[in-house]
Amino acid sequence: MNNVKPEARMDFNLLKREFMNPQAAYRPQPFWFLNHELEKAELESQIQAMFEAGVGGVVLHARHGMQIPYLSPAFMEVLEFCTMECEKRNMVVWLYDEDNWPSGTLGGKLTRQHPEYRMHYLRVEEKRHSRAADSEAIRLDFACHDHNELIAILAYRATRSDEEWLLHDDPEDITHLWGRDWTPTTEDAYIVLACWSCEIAEGITFAQGYYLDTLNPEAVQTFIQMAYEPFLPLQKYYGSTIQGVFTDEPGLMIHDGFFGVEAIRTAVNDVGATLPGMVFAWTFGMRERFQEENGYDLVPRLGALLYGMADG
């Protein structure tokens, strides 16, 4: 230490003191599950126990088992009480924007009020027609399921190259033949894709609701309004005790509660029913929004989600 400059030695001593007694920002700030009856005496006791153990703050997380409704006056009273008790101890607070997880539904309340904001996904089924089949027809007997909307049935000319099928641009739109036979007019091999816009299965969220269409700006703005405006009575703590709001695991193709990705590719009324095909992220009005932003139609190019394109 004799060769260390005095100002560096002071910085080291300050760092040492901070390490021995760090600020709240450098201490654990765990998720604190708010469940059961949320009695103030018990809440204060647990906050004190965490403080004595060196915890620097908490995430106030509404968790299943809670006996009062999420965002109700009683719940907001609990949030303010916990924030005040943390403030007394120089502990910090993070709010949490959902009832359980993932963020986006207010425990299913939002999508029950606004069914138009339920998550959608793209499901693509396939049939193949080889040149060896000559003039044999393909039956376009793709089954329709509740809350599945047919976008298009597309017949792509296909070329096999190094064990890989490649699709050609400009597929033939044969949607009007759904349920009937289609016979190719050329000797090429064909891959026929039926593309569906599907709603997420119900009964997936903790409150038996639907997950949110997180690709829909209107849906997300509605969630922000419904989830964040109730926190305004706590505004006086913003930037001091309250550090921010934690958002938990929003996604493009999920899920909720205990079911995970089983909510995808399933009948809307039966989580255990698996529908055929491959699935991709999708949203309400996707085709129109893509056309507006990119200047061309997305749908004839959906085959590129599954295959390489022979035309580049």
Side-chain angles (χ1 to χ4, degrees), residues 72-121:
S72 66
F75 178 80
M76 296 307 302
E77 183 179 343
V78 165
L79 289 191
E80 181 160 21
F81 175 79
C82 292
T83 301
M84 291 170 54
E85 292 301 313
C86 286
E87 183 182 50
K88 293 177 185 178
R89 296 163 175 81
N90 292 319
M91 296 169 67
V92 299
V93 167
W94 293 85
L95 301 176
Y96 184 93
D97 65 5
E98 184 54 73
D99 183 3
N100 289 290
W101 75 89
S103 298
T105 73
L106 273 73
K109 178 180 178 181
L110 191 161
T111 46
R112 286 197 301 273
Q113 290 185 9
H114 297 279
E116 70 274 19
Y117 293 153
R118 297 170 185 168
M119 174 172 280
H120 289 68
Y121 64 94

Side-chain angles (χ1 to χ4, degrees), residues 9-294:
R9 186 178 298 116
M10 291 177 60
D11 289 344
F12 177 79
N13 290 334
L14 176 60
L15 178 62
K16 183 178 180 180
R17 289 196 298 272
E18 284 284 343
F19 186 81
M20 297 300 294
N21 186 28
Q23 302 175 45
Y26 304 113
R27 293 175 178 268
Q29 298 174 20
F31 276 62
W32 184 26
F33 296 166
L34 299 179
N35 54 18
H36 205 54
E37 296 180 356
L38 304 182
E39 297 175 347
K40 290 182 177 179
E42 179 63 25
L43 293 170
E44 181 180 3
S45 173
Q46 291 189 25
I47 291 172
Q48 179 63 24
M50 287 187 282
F51 172 72
E52 292 175 1
V55 170
V58 292
V59 181
L60 300 176
H61 180 14
R63 193 79 170 189
H64 47 279
M66 192 167 64
Q67 302 299 303
I68 56 177
Y70 178 64
L71 295 183
S72 66
F75 178 80
M76 296 307 302
E77 183 179 343
V78 165
L79 289 191
E80 181 160 21
F81 175 79
C82 292
T83 301
M84 291 170 54
E85 292 301 313
C86 286
E87 183 182 50
K88 293 177 185 178
R89 296 163 175 81
N90 292 319
M91 296 169 67
V92 299
V93 167
W94 293 85
L95 301 176
Y96 184 93
D97 65 5
E98 184 54 73
D99 183 3
N100 289 290
W101 75 89
S103 298
T105 73
L106 273 73
K109 178 180 178 181
L110 191 161
T111 46
R112 286 197 301 273
Q113 290 185 9
H114 297 279
E116 70 274 19
Y117 293 153
R118 297 170 185 168
M119 174 172 280
H120 289 68
Y121 64 94
L122 175 69
R123 182 170 60 84
V124 182
E125 296 181 69
E126 175 184 299
K127 288 179 179 287
R128 293 185 181 182
H129 186 281
S130 67
R131 294 181 62 180
D134 295 324
S135 60
E136 290 183 11
I138 299 177
R139 172 66 69 169
L140 305 179
D141 54 353
F142 300 102
C144 182
H145 299 271
D146 289 343
H147 299 268
N148 284 211
E149 178 184 357
L150 183 63
I151 300 170
I153 301 176
L154 306 170
Y156 289 87
R157 290 188 300 112
T159 302
R160 195 171 182 84
S161 175
D162 296 328
E163 303 302 318
E164 178 184 5
W165 282 103
L166 301 176
L167 305 186
H168 291 268
D169 283 336
D170 300 322
E172 182 179 350
D173 189 331
I174 55 175
T175 310
H176 61 287
L177 296 175
W178 179 28
R180 295 155 58 188
D181 288 342
W182 171 73
T183 303
T185 56
T186 73
E187 295 182 355
D188 297 286
Y190 280 84
I191 291 178
V192 177
L193 302 179
C195 306
W196 303 84
S197 175
C198 309
E199 288 184 1
I200 199 77
E202 68 182 358
I204 301 300
T205 68
F206 283 94
Q208 299 298 301
Y210 295 83
Y211 193 61
L212 188 74
D213 184 355
T214 52
L215 288 174
N216 184 337
E218 291 183 7
V220 173
Q221 286 301 315
T222 300
F223 169 70
I224 291 172
Q225 178 183 358
M226 294 178 66
Y228 284 67
E229 286 188 0
F231 292 149
L232 287 177
L234 302 174
Q235 192 170 13
K236 62 183 176 181
Y237 300 102
Y238 291 1
S240 54
T241 302
I242 294 178
Q243 303 296 292
V245 183
F246 190 97
T247 293
D248 197 1
E249 297 183 344
L252 301 179
M253 289 182 62
I254 53 174
H255 99 13
D256 208 323
F258 306 103
F259 290 98
V261 294
E262 293 178 18
I264 300 295
R265 205 158 63 91
T266 180
V268 71
N269 296 315
D270 183 0
V271 177
T274 300
L275 303 183
M278 299 291 293
V279 295
F280 303 90
W282 194 252
T283 183
F284 177 79
M286 181 78 158
R287 185 174 192 171
E288 294 76 14
R289 287 164 55 187
F290 190 95
Q291 176 78 46
E292 182 179 348
E293 294 178 13
N294 297 281

Side-chain angles (χ1 to χ4, degrees), residues 290-308:
F290 190 95
Q291 176 78 46
E292 182 179 348
E293 294 178 13
N294 297 281
Y296 64 91
D297 190 2
L298 167 65
V299 170
R301 295 162 174 83
L302 290 176
L305 295 173
L306 288 166
Y307 291 94

